[in-house]
Amino acid sequence: MPKLSELWEMLSSLQVSDLVLCGVSVVILDLFAISIILATRRESKLCQKRWQKVSSGLELCQDNKHFPLEADEILLGRHISADIKLTDSAVSRYHAVMTVTGGVWSITDLDAKSGTYVNDKRIKQKKLAVGDCIQLGNTKLYLVKRPAQSQSKK
């Protein structure tokens, strides 16, 4: 490892044009890094806006619990790996799955013993609308618009 005095000798032997070239290179690299950081932030915000459009900014509500729909496929059930975990013993481990396509959510029953109901009608698969009541076992969930403040926090 070179000593400080050796480094000083090396630097003092460089010509001014070499030092200017090094300085310009450092500035260019810094500007490039900053532009990448800004582009990444901008892309992240655009992705959030696109997802809001795709997901329609909806959530499931059960009493005071709110379950934001933040993926294009949501597994509902009692199992620990379920995206929305329900503690109701009448709910199957893998009870139903919700999917979104073009801003429209649908639910599919996964052959649950107690069935899946939308607005008191047993379904196998059904497109959902805001205000629909989804019943899994004894648990009722309502599909509602997410409040504007919780959408903008992300």
Side-chain angles (χ1 to χ4, degrees):
M1 184 173 218
K3 295 180 182 176
L4 191 57
S5 59
E6 292 173 357
L7 284 175
W8 181 252
E9 281 181 40
M10 287 175 24
L11 281 176
S12 59
S13 68
L14 290 175
Q15 293 189 0
V16 174
S17 60
D18 293 335
L19 290 174
V20 169
L21 187 58
C22 288
V24 168
S25 299
V26 168
V27 169
I28 289 172
L29 287 174
D30 286 346
L31 290 174
F32 184 68
I34 290 170
S35 68
I36 289 175
I37 291 168
L38 293 175
T40 303
R41 289 176 109 187
R42 188 171 37 249
E43 182 63 26
S44 175
K45 287 179 183 179
L46 285 174
C47 286
Q48 287 174 354
K49 286 180 184 177
R50 279 189 221 119
W51 175 246
Q52 288 299 330
K53 209 176 225 183
V54 169
S55 71
S56 298
L58 300 177
E59 67 184 6
L60 289 177
C61 290
Q62 175 197 16
D63 301 324
N64 289 330
K65 294 181 189 172
H66 297 271
F67 305 100
L69 303 178
E70 296 180 329
D72 54 358
E73 187 174 274
I74 308 282
L75 177 63
L76 298 102
R78 266 190 355 228
H79 196 271
I80 192 139
S81 67
D83 299 304
I84 297 178
K85 295 170 199 61
L86 304 170
T87 57
D88 180 356
S89 61
V91 172
S92 297
R93 288 179 292 163
Y94 303 105
H95 199 104
V97 66
M98 291 178 61
T99 55
V100 65
T101 305
V104 178
W105 283 95
S106 61
I107 189 165
T108 304
D109 181 72
L110 298 176
D111 296 324
K113 195 174 187 180
S114 61
T116 300
Y117 294 80
V118 175
N119 300 325
D120 298 322
K121 293 181 185 172
R122 190 169 184 156
I123 58 98
K124 256 327 219 174
Q125 183 174 24
K126 175 146 178 46
K127 288 184 179 180
L128 299 170
V130 173
D132 280 349
C133 175
I134 301 165
Q135 184 172 345
L136 310 172
N138 299 314
T139 303
K140 288 188 177 185
L141 302 161
Y142 295 91
L143 186 66
V144 297
K145 274 267 188 210
R146 194 173 334 164
Q149 69 186 50
S150 64
Q151 288 179 20
S152 63
K153 281 183 184 177
K154 296 217 163 203

